[in-house]
Amino acid sequence: MGPRIGAVGEEPQMPDKDTMAMTGTEDTPGGRASPDSQDLPPSVFHSIKFFVLCHSLLQLTQLMISGYLKSSISTVEKRFGLSSQTSGLLAAFNEVGNTALIVFVSYFGIRVHRPRLIGCGAILVALAGLLMTLPHFISEPYRYDGTSSGNMSQDFEASLCLPTTLVPAPASSSSNCSSHMEAKHLAVVGIMFMAQTLLGVGGVPIQPFGISYIDDFAHSNNSPLYLGILFAVTLMGPGLAFGLGGIMLRLYVDIDRMPEGGISLTSKDPRWVGAWWLGFLISAGAVALAAIPYFFFPREMPKEKQELHFRRRVLTVVSKDEDAPLGEPAKKQGLAQIAPDLTMIQFIKVFPRVLLRTLHHPIFLLVVLSQVCMSCAVAGMATFLSKFLERQFSITASYANMLIGCLSIPGAIMGIVLGGILVKCLHLSPVRCSVLCLLGALFCLLFNLPLFFMGCPTHQIAGITHQPGSQPGLELFPSCMEPCSCPSDDFNPVCDSSTRVEYLTPCHAGCTNQAAPDKSHVSYTNCSCVTGSGSVRAGSCDSACSHLVLPFMVLISLGGVMASVIHTPSFMLILRGVKKEDKALAVGIQFMLLRVLAWMPSPVIHGSAIDTTCVHWAQSCGRRAVCRYYDNDLLRKRFIGLQFFFKVGSLACFALILAILRQQDKEEGTKVTCPGLQQQLLVSQPEKKPEESRV
């Protein structure tokens, strides 16, 4: 009752966020007698809990739209004739715009209206998502055969074997090209690169400003809980992205402009292209809706006064000096402390010096290098795992995305949570944190080893697989199809089920007739290159080891759990390995280096490695377009080999970190020998004083 009377009667303006938190007046309705002491307005936009809810939803949708391209990477390649190197570069451009501007967040963060800037960034992300769908609407309808876009019913007849004397020589795709078509293709690809860049630029203010806003106005004891909720919800974004991709890719790409006679494809056909653009449309709408509340939040809201009930301590009177290292002074040190007094030019001049000072810490440098190696593996796996599963196990793109969204992403979330629990409950020291990181990297590497031997070899493809190093021409095909007029760039694969031999088209199999047209079961007869019944069925041959995809994904998920366990203890090594005034900047530099050295180059490196395993390229206007057949054994060795290489690098860095930390402990132990007893006598008496001050 005493504090309530004093707060109302004598000091109507004194119950600020510190005194209210220390005296416990936030738990009493003392503000009723004086309107001036009522800090919290009734509006929900002045509630930090509502901000945490809104920001969780925004970061969830932002990661969903940025991760959606990875779920449809192979579909985009087929639709626009891109190589894996180009698609990897497209995925990496998301980081280009982000990295170019993230350095200035610490400069502008204390000068701007953070919620509104977050809202503007989210609107830009939504516009980038809409821009990503533009190539679908400005391009012609997808042609999966050699006929015109409006004559899909001629798919069967166009691929049959017809004598060269009865039909003119088929025109290749290069003869149908023009400067206008080539310019249109470049414009479409340029639009997608621009959209990815804007996607990165729009995401710059969202996470840093949101985290700092929560930490500034949440109760000091509630802030870790709010940030934990934020990260937990955010991590669901990639899983939703792959789940959304699994649903959208079951729909035909031109679902908004289907031909009159329908289509003769199923999702299992290698020529199938799903509605990749529809996922961007849905994600962009979700981001735009999540951005609306940010334009109503104030620039500064009252500090949260009430600690959550289940987190309250018995002792409510806490020394203000003890709270200081965990609260605001830690945020105002280092570069953030001098940033308000610097102009933009001075800030740019100061930043390199502080950067070099931070990079002089050996533990910081090794931890960042280990995280770069692990992030390279994660970035390559996230970008091309869906395509790898499609090619290696002959499964559909939608099924591959469902597997990733249901197994890999939840495993990564579990690993991050498990790592945080271990660090918290076991009170791990830096040496033990390095041991945990070393064990996590080691087990991640061990789970990677069996993947070299789990896969399907490339089935025999007439005229291609027997000479995997060269582009096949008509002279490489069997002589049985020489009387036929087969276009070299046509693609309508058929399979001889008896011998498991695949042909590029019915024409290359020497087929002259087509069975009763059924869109789900199409077959061709009277095939001169096929022994026995002389008939083939439409579509690629089924894989003989598709059952291995589930064990493969289980090992991938277990490796992801082990790699994610490293996340929290490696952060603790950084925070405990640098000076207190450099902690905030060290984390910022860490994220910048991860983007520049891992998330930007890794998709391009993995895409280039995948391209080297291609045995048959499609040609478009005289240039190399999408790859149609890979050497599966070589693909598996190089893709998994890259993963193995980066994980070995991460393991080596953590081993060096452990050796350095143990050496430092030994050096500190040698200093405390005989004088240690005197120091204990001198230190034992003053130790009582802080305990008394705490009470």
Side-chain angles (χ1 to χ4, degrees):
M1 299 295 293
R4 187 182 302 179
I5 296 174
V8 175
E10 296 182 8
E11 297 177 349
Q13 298 179 352
M14 284 303 293
D16 56 1
K17 57 179 178 288
D18 295 320
T19 57
M20 294 282 284
M22 293 190 340
T23 60
T25 52
E26 68 272 20
D27 299 332
T28 64
R32 293 179 183 175
S34 176
D36 295 336
S37 65
Q38 188 81 8
D39 288 335
L40 275 177
S43 173
V44 294
F45 295 105
H46 287 77
S47 169
I48 194 64
K49 297 183 181 66
F50 185 65
F51 184 87
V52 172
L53 173 63
C54 293
H55 205 63
S56 299
L57 295 177
L58 177 60
Q59 288 198 181
L60 174 73
T61 54
Q62 182 210 357
L63 278 188
M64 185 170 68
I65 194 172
S66 61
Y68 181 76
L69 177 63
K70 298 176 177 61
S71 70
S72 55
I73 196 79
S74 61
T75 302
V76 173
E77 288 179 8
K78 282 192 285 187
R79 179 64 182 92
F80 299 104
L82 305 179
S83 64
S84 294
Q85 184 183 37
T86 304
S87 63
L89 185 62
L90 178 63
F93 253 68
N94 183 18
E95 305 294 339
V96 172
N98 197 298
T99 306
L101 299 177
I102 195 67
V103 177
F104 300 99
V105 168
S106 58
Y107 177 80
F108 290 106
I110 51 180
R111 291 171 165 81
V112 297
H113 193 299
R114 283 177 289 182
R116 289 182 184 173
L117 196 61
I118 292 173
C120 293
I123 293 297
L124 189 59
V125 169
L127 292 177
L130 293 177
L131 186 62
M132 198 69 188
T133 66
L134 185 60
H136 167 75
F137 296 102
I138 65 175
S139 300
E140 295 181 358
Y142 173 59
R143 294 186 299 169
Y144 55 84
D145 58 355
T147 64
S148 63
S149 58
N151 196 9
M152 295 293 184
S153 61
Q154 297 181 4
D155 176 35
F156 306 118
E157 290 80 1
S159 300
L160 292 177
C161 175
L162 300 176
T164 54
T165 57
L166 299 180
V167 295
S172 62
S173 61
S174 58
S175 62
N176 297 326
C177 293
S178 63
S179 59
H180 173 72
M181 292 181 62
E182 190 65 17
K184 193 172 184 179
H185 172 78
L186 293 176
V188 165
V189 176
I191 288 174
M192 290 192 289
F193 274 95
M194 185 185 302
Q196 283 294 102
T197 305
L198 291 179
L199 195 62
V201 172
V204 167
I206 293 178
Q207 185 173 7
F209 287 169
I211 292 175
S212 63
Y213 194 83
I214 293 172
D215 198 43
D216 284 347
F217 302 116
H219 192 282
S220 59
N221 290 333
N222 293 340
S223 179
L225 175 64
Y226 292 155
L227 294 180
I229 295 173
L230 175 66
F231 291 137
V233 176
T234 300
L235 287 173
M236 300 178 187
L240 290 180
F242 281 98
L244 181 64
I247 296 173
M248 295 298 105
L249 296 184
R250 293 180 182 178
L251 306 175
Y252 185 62
V253 60
D254 290 326
I255 191 174
D256 57 329
R257 46 186 179 183
M258 293 286 286
E260 294 181 1
I263 58 173
S264 58
L265 289 183
T266 63
S267 59
K268 295 183 179 180
D269 195 295
R271 298 173 296 169
W272 174 270
V273 172
W276 61 273
W277 55 275
L278 199 54
F280 281 109
L281 207 59
I282 295 174
S283 301
V287 173
L289 289 176
I292 295 176
Y294 286 89
F295 296 98
F296 300 96
F297 283 108
R299 179 169 184 163
E300 295 181 357
M301 67 169 58
K303 180 83 172 181
E304 188 181 30
K305 304 171 186 176
Q306 184 173 358
E307 185 180 0
L308 297 182
H309 291 283
F310 61 90
R311 289 184 56 86
R312 268 190 201 152
R313 308 290 189 268
V314 178
L315 298 176
T316 56
V317 181
V318 183
S319 174
K320 191 173 182 180
D321 293 335
E322 263 194 17
D323 289 340
L326 299 175
E328 297 178 18
K331 293 179 289 183
K332 295 181 181 178
Q333 293 173 345
L335 190 62
Q337 184 181 18
I338 60 176
D341 302 326
L342 297 179
T343 64
M344 173 67 73
I345 303 300
Q346 292 172 335
F347 177 81
I348 296 176
K349 291 181 179 179
V350 167
F351 180 77
R353 294 200 298 268
V354 183
L355 174 63
L356 291 177
R357 185 181 69 185
T358 306
L359 293 178
H360 283 164
H361 298 284
I363 298 298
F364 172 80
L365 205 56
L366 284 173
V367 172
V368 170
L369 187 59
S370 66
Q371 289 183 339
V372 165
C373 292
M374 192 61 72
S375 296
C376 281
V378 172
M381 186 68 75
T383 305
F384 290 108
L385 179 59
S386 175
K387 177 177 180 175
F388 179 83
L389 295 177
E390 293 176 47
R391 297 293 185 168
Q392 193 69 214
F393 301 101
S394 300
I395 61 176
T396 62
S398 59
Y399 183 51
N401 287 326
M402 287 298 182
L403 288 176
I404 297 172
C406 295
L407 293 178
S408 296
I409 305 299
I413 297 175
M414 289 173 55
I416 293 177
V417 173
L418 179 61
I421 291 175
L422 291 176
V423 173
K424 175 70 176 178
C425 296
L426 301 180
H427 304 285
L428 297 181
S429 63
V431 174
R432 292 184 177 180
C433 281
S434 63
V435 172
L436 179 59
C437 292
L438 185 65
L439 291 176
L442 178 61
F443 280 104
C444 181
L445 195 64
L446 293 178
F447 284 125
N448 195 92
L449 284 175
L451 303 181
F452 282 103
F453 311 100
M454 299 177 64
C456 305
T458 305
H459 50 266
Q460 184 178 355
I461 304 168
I464 296 179
T465 53
H466 62 277
Q467 291 189 4
S470 61
Q471 178 71 33
L474 290 179
E475 70 278 358
L476 298 178
F477 291 95
S479 58
C480 56
M481 47 77 60
E482 286 182 356
C484 305
S485 173
C486 300
S488 59
D489 54 357
D490 197 8
F491 185 62
N492 181 16
V494 293
C495 177
D496 181 6
S497 302
S498 59
T499 59
R500 298 187 58 81
V501 176
E502 185 170 326
Y503 300 87
L504 289 177
T505 65
C507 181
H508 290 94
C511 303
T512 58
N513 295 321
Q514 175 226 330
D518 184 0
K519 293 182 180 179
S520 58
H521 299 89
V522 180
S523 61
Y524 299 89
T525 59
N526 196 20
C527 304
S528 58
C529 299
V530 178
T531 59
S533 61
S535 63
V536 294
R537 61 174 180 82
S540 295
C541 296
D542 295 329
S543 175
C545 57
S546 297
H547 60 281
L548 293 178
V549 66
L550 287 179
F552 186 92
M553 283 303 302
V554 169
L555 289 176
I556 288 286
S557 302
L558 291 176
V561 171
M562 293 295 102
S564 302
V565 167
I566 299 173
H567 185 268
T568 301
S570 62
F571 265 106
M572 299 307 298
L573 287 174
I574 288 179
L575 295 177
R576 295 177 185 178
V578 299
K579 296 180 180 179
K580 183 186 295 184
E581 61 268 18
D582 292 338
K583 285 184 179 180
L585 184 65
V587 175
I589 293 174
Q590 175 204 17
F591 280 110
M592 184 184 69
L593 292 177
L594 287 179
R595 284 189 171 95
V596 173
L597 300 179
W599 290 96
M600 288 173 58
S602 180
V604 182
I605 294 173
H606 281 78
S608 301
I610 291 174
D611 283 342
T612 60
T613 65
C614 182
V615 295
H616 179 64
W617 290 93
Q619 299 291 322
S620 176
C621 295
R623 62 174 178 83
R624 196 174 67 176
V626 66
C627 180
R628 287 184 173 147
Y629 291 107
Y630 291 93
D631 184 343
N632 283 354
D633 291 329
L634 192 60
L635 172 64
R636 182 175 63 257
K637 291 176 182 177
R638 293 188 178 176
F639 185 76
I640 303 300
L642 270 177
Q643 298 286 308
F644 189 83
F645 171 77
F646 288 124
K647 291 174 183 177
V648 167
S650 179
L651 180 66
C653 290
F654 282 125
L656 289 176
I657 292 169
L658 180 59
I660 292 175
L661 290 176
R662 284 184 173 176
Q663 183 65 28
Q664 291 177 352
D665 286 349
K666 288 181 181 179
E667 292 176 357
E668 291 178 0
T670 55
K671 294 179 182 179
V672 184
T673 53
C674 293
L677 296 175
Q678 298 178 357
Q679 291 179 357
Q680 290 180 1
L681 293 174
L682 294 174
V683 174
S684 60
Q685 295 178 354
E687 280 181 353
K688 298 180 180 178
K689 207 166 189 178
E691 292 180 359
E692 293 174 358
S693 66
R694 291 192 190 114
V695 176

